[in-house]
Amino acid sequence: MSICLRIIFFLTLFAGPGFGFNEEDASNQWGIAFIWLQTGRNLSDAGQAPLALGSYIEALEQFEIVAKHYPDYETTMVQYRIEALRKDIAKFRAELSPDDITIANEYVEFINLLKKAEEERYEARRASALNLFRTAQSGLEAIVARRPEAF
């Protein structure tokens, strides 16, 4: 498995509710957001700008959850991260080709399917979770198939 795919699988696994992150707690929600930020940085460093963009989009969503649900938690730092991510996302969108933007959007869909599958799994809806994990896997395979040499 390439370094890119290892980064994706490793970091997405540790951003889920089953690995010590309780979304009811502000610091844990911050941790989820920060993992997605780091995932984006690692993917960018690996030359995977479309996937980095997708990770930054997810990080922004998670930091916005912190801001909305925990308005008194590290307000300055949360706002800094949100603004920095908005700038990074705009920069990536301006620099990437339309095909790269499509890949980024497909990666965001992959992330959303993983999150939904994890929710189903932790609610003991195993059949539904398995179907969602399979759909996510197919989505990731489709992303890789677009540019197999890049992955």
Side-chain angles (χ1 to χ4, degrees):
M1 185 183 313
S2 74
I3 187 68
C4 175
L5 292 178
R6 279 187 239 147
I7 289 169
I8 293 168
F9 281 118
F10 178 77
L11 293 172
T12 56
L13 282 177
F14 288 97
F19 294 94
F21 289 115
N22 177 353
E23 292 185 23
E24 299 299 317
D25 180 82
S27 64
N28 289 335
Q29 186 65 41
W30 169 273
I32 291 169
F34 196 79
I35 286 172
W36 282 111
L37 175 62
Q38 286 301 110
T39 301
R41 289 177 178 165
N42 290 339
L43 288 166
S44 183
D45 290 347
Q48 298 296 330
L51 302 183
L53 173 58
S55 295
Y56 289 150
I57 291 168
E58 180 62 22
L60 176 60
E61 180 181 318
Q62 296 302 320
F63 279 115
E64 287 174 340
I65 289 171
V66 174
K68 179 180 178 182
H69 294 287
Y70 309 102
D72 296 328
Y73 183 79
E74 300 291 342
T75 307
T76 302
M77 184 56 73
V78 171
Q79 288 308 311
Y80 167 78
R81 293 286 181 202
I82 288 171
E83 291 307 314
L85 280 163
R86 286 180 180 154
K87 288 177 185 174
D88 288 343
I89 289 167
K91 179 180 174 236
F92 271 88
R93 284 188 171 143
E95 294 174 354
L96 293 176
S97 70
D99 189 50
D100 285 339
I101 299 294
T102 299
I103 290 170
N105 291 335
E106 290 172 356
Y107 181 57
V108 169
E109 181 60 28
F110 164 75
I111 293 167
N112 289 330
L113 285 167
L114 278 182
K115 291 188 307 188
K116 181 65 176 162
E118 288 178 3
E119 289 172 16
E120 291 293 295
R121 188 174 88 181
Y122 294 109
E123 294 295 324
R125 294 188 286 262
R126 288 177 180 80
S128 175
L130 182 58
N131 286 334
L132 287 165
F133 278 123
R134 286 181 178 151
T135 302
Q137 179 183 0
S138 295
L140 185 59
E141 289 169 355
I143 292 169
V144 171
R146 287 173 159 274
R147 293 191 195 140
E149 70 283 351
F151 298 100

